[in-house]
Amino acid sequence: MAQYRPRNWGGRGAIGRTASLALVGLRSVERRLERFVEGTVGRFFRGGVRPVEIGHKIAREMADSRSVGVKGQPVVANFFSVRLAPTDLERFAGVSESLVRELCDATRDHAREEGWGFMGPVQVELEADETVRGGAIEVAGRMKEADGGVGILELPTGQQVVLGEFVISMGRLSECTVSFDDSNISREHAMIRPDGDGFILDDNGSTNGTRVNGEGITSHRLVDRDRIELGATVIEFRAG
């Protein structure tokens, strides 16, 4: 039997547990962004708005935006507008692309740890706003569907797994994103990773191999209606 294992998230009756998980998640955001500012890049962030403060604001905006998707999975905002005073934004001019990339990666990491999903790719936009005072950060988040690059795995159980920003692992291990009770499937059999506007299926050197539409593969770009065979289990890929 196939099992898709999104993490549980607390409701109003689990305030203590939710707060604890949120603290752990924020620490991971801090670690990633602190590593980013180590070394020569750090000179851009002295004496004003720091990346970790932006990361905290985005993490809180995600938590506040939590909703439930059509299949019961928790989903959060994936598009964030970060408004800064013009003088603060100007200080980041030399590293803005790197900063946005790190903020997006930290956002994905935080969502993964909390078990939250997205409706589309994570995007962060930095904007100058004359109404924002120096040192302040204003963040607005919303859910935004992808223009492309979304896929769905249809499991034998009838469950659907939405593909997007994260790598999906498949195998017998319970730690895999999708786990199977099938002795012909290896512990960490295969993975699906985003690539451009599509997805790549990679076999992880499994004992019995991975097949797509009856043909053995080591790496394969998925197309609509591909039938993925792992052991005796068949999964269908649908392009979104």
Side-chain angles (χ1 to χ4, degrees):
M1 177 178 291
Q3 293 185 348
Y4 173 44
R5 300 172 179 272
R7 286 198 183 183
N8 293 327
W9 55 292
R12 296 183 183 274
I15 295 174
R17 178 175 176 275
T18 302
S20 177
L21 287 172
L23 181 59
V24 172
L26 286 175
R27 285 173 180 163
S28 72
V29 171
E30 291 173 356
R31 286 193 297 270
R32 174 179 271 282
L33 294 175
E34 284 170 355
R35 286 196 299 268
F36 171 60
V37 300
E38 287 177 355
T40 57
V41 172
R43 72 181 185 275
F44 291 94
F45 307 113
R46 294 188 184 125
V49 171
R50 297 181 300 139
V52 68
E53 295 170 330
I54 301 175
H56 282 174
K57 287 274 191 176
I58 291 175
R60 284 195 287 271
E61 187 71 14
M62 274 199 295
D64 290 344
S65 72
R66 282 181 303 184
S67 184
V68 179
V70 294
K71 296 295 180 180
Q73 76 280 18
V75 293
V76 294
N78 59 293
F79 184 90
F80 302 93
S81 174
V82 179
R83 293 182 293 119
L84 305 170
T87 53
D88 286 327
L89 185 60
E90 178 61 28
R91 290 173 50 249
F92 298 152
V95 292
S96 59
E97 290 186 8
S98 297
L99 174 58
V100 166
R101 186 165 53 249
E102 288 297 323
L103 288 169
C104 288
D105 287 344
T107 298
R108 294 186 192 99
D109 289 348
H110 182 52
R112 184 182 299 113
E113 291 182 354
E114 297 295 336
W116 300 337
F118 302 114
M119 294 179 66
V122 175
Q123 296 175 272
V124 175
E125 290 187 351
L126 303 180
E127 302 177 7
D129 189 331
E130 296 280 358
T131 67
V132 177
R133 61 179 176 78
I137 305 166
E138 299 290 338
V139 176
R142 61 186 173 90
M143 297 179 192
K144 181 180 178 183
E145 291 185 344
D147 298 326
V150 173
I152 294 174
L153 296 181
E154 294 194 347
L155 306 182
T157 59
Q159 288 178 294
Q160 292 186 336
V161 179
V162 177
L163 305 178
E165 288 287 304
F166 302 146
V167 172
I168 298 293
S169 58
M170 300 183 291
R172 280 203 334 273
L173 286 179
S174 61
E175 291 84 1
C176 290
T177 313
V178 185
S179 61
F180 303 90
D181 183 16
D182 182 342
S183 60
N184 294 308
I185 293 178
S186 297
R187 291 159 60 85
E188 295 178 279
H189 195 106
M191 60 182 251
I192 297 175
R193 54 187 170 87
D195 181 76
D197 60 355
F199 299 92
I200 302 293
L201 168 67
D202 292 319
D203 181 79
N204 291 336
S206 62
T207 301
N208 294 316
T210 300
R211 301 172 73 84
V212 176
N213 304 325
E215 299 291 332
I217 64 99
T218 55
S219 186
H220 171 81
R221 177 173 284 275
L222 291 167
V223 298
D224 191 40
R225 302 291 180 171
D226 270 348
R227 289 171 61 82
I228 303 167
E229 301 171 40
L230 311 178
T233 301
V234 178
I235 306 165
E236 187 166 295
F237 170 78
R238 297 277 188 90

